[in-house]
Amino acid sequence: MKVSVSTITISELDVDLLFIPISKEVIEGGLEDLAEAFGPCVEKARGDIRGDGSNATVLYPEKGTAKRIVLVGLGESGKISFEKLRLAAAKGATVAYDVKAETVGIAIPSLDLDGDDTAQALVEGFVLGSYRFTKYRTNAQPGESAQRLVIQTTDQDKQVRRGADRGRIIAEAVCTARDLVNVSPDEKTPVLLSKAIEKTGKKSGFEVSVWDKALIEEEGMGGLLAVNRGSIEPPTFSVLEWRPENARNSRPIILVGKGVTFDTGGLSLKPTKGSMDSMKCDMAGAAAVVGAMEAIAKLEMPLYVIGLIPATDNRPGENAYVPGDVVKMHSGKTVEVLNTDAEGRMILADALSYASSFYPEQVIELSTLTGAAVVALGDFVAAIMTNAEEGSEERLSEMVAAGSESGDRVHPLPMFDEYNEQLKSTVADLKNVGGREGGAITAAKFLEHFVDYPWIHVDIAGPAFWDSGKGYSQAGGTGFGVRLVTRYLQQISEKKR
Ligand code: BES
Ligand code: MN
Ligand code: ZN
């Protein structure tokens, strides 16, 4: 979608649809300005427009150049949040999609929020709400989603433009992640996933190098190789790098993403319904890392950031790893496998111990790791956990803040040492499962054995993939994590100014 900014007056904006978000107070104030610009239809519709944003009112104006106008309430002006703006814009996007509007305008309201943040949130909501995954639809018509978006503002300075650009870049990066998750599993084997990562790197300006199976063996990534044993597709390990000259950190910030391209459970096979049937989403952590790297590079963020993506599918092939196998991990520790469906932690542990060789400032790891995280928090919030390094409380609260501002919400779970009891093995250093109780936490405690730097674990099993759409996400991959990480890194780069 092309996004531009215009200071032309709203009555002269020549678009198929003009989306006008308005606060409750403006509605109650009588909408005289809008009536003057667009004609008596505005007056007639006034009673239909709900101030809280629970509906969208479509009008065909008697005056002005816009073919249609869509009014959506934003609630009381003092309580308008970025999320309300995104949700309102997504309502506008739904109408635009239904009427096949090619060109859409958004009238930026003047609110208590900064103009650039308002523009960013509205563009994000609109672009995300316009996303449709049509790759496999043989009846898909090109141009069903809006092609051109014009941001209308009365503000002459560059603020709104900056915000609109930021919103577009971030939302497009989220769509990159959604596409990677939504694609058919047979089209995203580890090798094909790595190719897609290289393509995104070229397009957005970060470097990518891909390790093949031989190199993974040489490095001794025993966890990744063990999970891969039941598959006929070789594993890959992708290393993504964004290192601008003006980086404000010398030691990198590392993003690690779980890249299980399909999780059958392995020999500990999953049932199909409500379980294995959505497991093409098990590389959503990897997709979030790729999307975040795209956003970071396109925003030219002054930070040195590395992405690490271990990728394999998890299958019960002839040579599959079995319960009872003891695996020597990249770190040298040994793990007794007692459930082959706890594969995510096996491949992540290797990536996390490899991350150590960069002496990272901190590591953020995103993974669709446990059903237990979904049981604990539901499907719209990710669980975050961190190790007890200096500044851990602060890291968690900064991540929570990044979550609520970006719309990718997160909530912390504890990491008490008692949980380690559940991971004791009778034959090896650790076992790979800790039982049902506190399952999201014991998974994180397992990973903690492989980190020696500040680390935040984000379990995105709930919010990464939805069976039905809501808000600005359709059914399927949501792209969760891209906005969270981008926002978090923006905070860090501001702090280092
Ligand atoms: N990929 C799954 C976790 C998952 C569940 C992701 C639901 C998305 C939605 C993971 O590999 C898994 O199978 N975890 C097991 C762990 C158990 C065997 C200890 C689980 O959660 O049941
Ligand atoms: Mn699994
Ligand atoms: Zn998995």
Side-chain angles (χ1 to χ4, degrees), residues 18-259:
L18 175 60
F19 163 58
I20 308 174
I22 33 177
S23 68
K24 196 161 162 257
E25 285 82 353
V26 171
I27 300 168
E28 285 165 357
L31 301 175
E32 268 164 36
D33 295 354
L34 287 179
E36 189 162 320
F38 299 109
C41 62
V42 176
E43 262 307 305
K44 289 185 200 152
R46 202 161 77 95
D48 293 354
I49 310 165
R50 283 190 221 124
D52 62 358
S54 58
N55 70 353
T57 307
V58 187
L59 300 177
Y60 294 82
E62 294 95 351
K63 288 168 67 183
T65 37
K67 288 205 188 77
R68 307 167 183 88
I69 61 174
V70 176
L71 302 168
V72 179
L74 293 171
E76 280 172 48
S77 61
K79 293 185 187 158
I80 296 173
S81 61
F82 299 135
E83 188 65 0
K84 280 191 185 156
L85 291 168
R86 286 185 206 102
L87 290 168
K91 275 225 152 63
T94 305
V95 178
Y97 187 84
D98 287 345
V99 301
K100 296 193 167 58
E102 258 179 54
T103 55
V104 174
I106 299 182
I108 300 292
S110 60
L111 303 170
D112 292 342
L113 307 168
D114 284 344
D116 59 334
D117 291 336
T118 303
Q120 178 181 341
L122 287 168
V123 172
E124 268 181 28
F126 191 86
V127 175
L128 293 175
S130 301
Y131 174 88
R132 297 292 184 283
F133 184 71
T134 55
K135 184 163 193 248
Y136 305 118
R137 297 231 186 262
T138 52
N139 63 352
Q141 307 283 319
E144 279 182 359
S145 294
Q147 303 295 301
R148 220 159 57 75
L149 186 61
V150 186
I151 308 304
Q152 190 274 341
T153 172
T154 51
D155 209 337
Q156 292 290 344
D157 66 26
K158 295 247 158 59
Q159 266 209 42
V160 167
R161 166 170 302 281
R162 264 202 306 274
D165 281 342
R166 218 157 53 211
R168 175 186 53 82
I169 288 170
I170 293 171
E172 283 174 355
V174 174
C175 294
T176 296
R178 287 178 177 180
D179 279 342
L180 287 171
V181 171
N182 287 335
V183 84
S184 169
D186 68 318
E187 290 181 23
K188 57 175 174 192
T189 62
V191 169
L192 292 175
L193 176 63
S194 304
K195 294 224 159 88
I197 296 171
E198 284 172 332
K199 209 170 119 192
T200 306
K202 277 220 177 69
K203 175 182 87 176
S204 31
F206 62 83
E207 301 295 320
V208 179
S209 63
V210 178
W211 302 9
D212 61 7
K213 187 173 178 182
L215 201 50
I216 291 167
E217 282 168 347
E218 222 169 279
E219 275 289 329
M221 294 199 157
L224 178 55
L225 291 163
V227 175
N228 184 250
R229 274 176 52 187
S231 174
I232 56 168
E233 297 291 340
T236 59
F237 188 80
S238 300
V239 182
L240 296 63
E241 188 185 82
W242 169 249
R243 189 173 199 174
E245 270 170 22
N246 61 348
R248 295 176 185 162
N249 53 333
S250 50
R251 289 160 60 200
I253 295 167
I254 301 189
L255 311 177
V256 176
K258 173 176 172 182

